[in-house]
Amino acid sequence: MNFLTIGHRGAMGHEPENTLRSFVRAERSGVDLIELDLHLSKDGALVVMHDAEVDRTTDGRGPIAEKTLAELRELDAGQGERVPVFEEVLEAVAAPLQAEIKDVAAARALAEVLAERQLTDRVEVISFHDEALAETARLLPGVRTALVASRYGTDVVDRALAVGATTLVLNLRRLTLEIAQRAHKADLRFFTWTVNTEEQLRLALAFGADGVTTDLPEIKEAAARLRGVSRSA
Ligand code: G3P
Ligand code: CA
């Protein structure tokens, strides 16, 4: 099976995270999938940002949910980049996407865009929130979903199955061989994050991961080398 390299917030090790510049860089670097985070603006736009507040990644302050899209557009998201909306990412890159629902309220808006544009083949919906995945599956039967987990035990496999997810995205720091094997036994794929070093990559491969989420897309070359396959394979 293909081992996938997933660009975390684009190529956030090189570019301002969750910006079009970051997504384009990730795509040019040859990642298999691009991961991004979603919130809702005050006026209902699907805003691409990790935190619930704009403070860390822009020159503004305050919660995204209290700002209109026009207000968010005035902010500098790094190197002069503007805060993108999901629809712009769809146009800026052609790569398959992992769209992470950070704000559960964004689940419905995302499902509407995916349905209108028939994007369920291209976009996998991921979330730490079980209820966001359950709602997505209800609104959009057939969509592929993945449960993301940072602090978790073996029950994470049952949680994923309960919401109809086909994939787990698991923090490497907590991963154990038991959880990895349980996931595969349950026919779930699993990806692990964040994998930025060869040591982390070796660990991910030893666990049998189906892919890694990385800030540094060039890890793809190391993965091919360690797995003994050429990049074109
Ligand atoms: O894909 C997993 C990863 O994106 C989850 O962590 O905090 O970077 O959204 P975070
Ligand atoms: Ca994320």
Side-chain angles (χ1 to χ4, degrees), residues 95-172:
L97 303 174
Q98 268 191 345
E100 181 181 346
I101 298 172
K102 287 291 189 196
D103 173 359
V104 177
R108 177 171 289 274
L110 177 61
E112 281 171 10
V113 173
L114 298 185
E116 269 167 31
R117 302 192 183 204
Q118 301 182 324
L119 287 169
T120 51
D121 279 347
R122 181 179 173 201
V123 181
E124 178 175 47
V125 178
I126 75 173
S127 187
F128 281 95
H129 305 292
D130 305 51
E131 66 270 35
L133 299 181
E135 186 180 2
T136 299
R138 186 175 56 75
L139 294 169
L140 211 50
V143 69
R144 284 171 297 117
T145 62
L147 181 66
V148 188
S150 184
R151 295 192 173 85
Y152 57 90
T154 51
D155 67 315
V156 76
V157 171
D158 294 328
R159 282 175 53 204
L161 295 173
V163 295
T166 55
T167 302
L168 281 163
V169 186
L170 301 172
N171 188 336
L172 181 62

Side-chain angles (χ1 to χ4, degrees), residues 4-77:
L4 302 181
T5 305
I6 303 156
H8 192 212
R9 309 179 203 168
M12 70 173 284
H14 299 296
E15 303 289 356
E17 67 181 58
N18 281 322
T19 60
L20 296 184
R21 185 181 168 116
S22 185
F23 300 131
V24 168
R25 172 86 175 245
E27 178 159 75
R28 286 190 183 145
S29 306
V31 297
D32 301 295
L33 283 164
I34 295 174
E35 189 263 356
L36 56 85
D37 302 295
L38 292 173
H39 287 267
L40 267 194
S41 68
K42 187 177 177 182
D43 47 352
L46 276 171
V47 176
V48 182
M49 198 179 290
H50 181 274
D51 300 359
E53 292 83 27
V54 302
D55 303 48
R56 182 180 61 84
T57 55
T58 77
D59 55 353
R61 297 184 70 126
I64 298 169
E66 292 178 11
K67 295 185 187 300
T68 63
L69 181 57
E71 288 168 336
L72 290 162
R73 292 293 206 192
E74 287 169 17
L75 305 177
D76 185 337

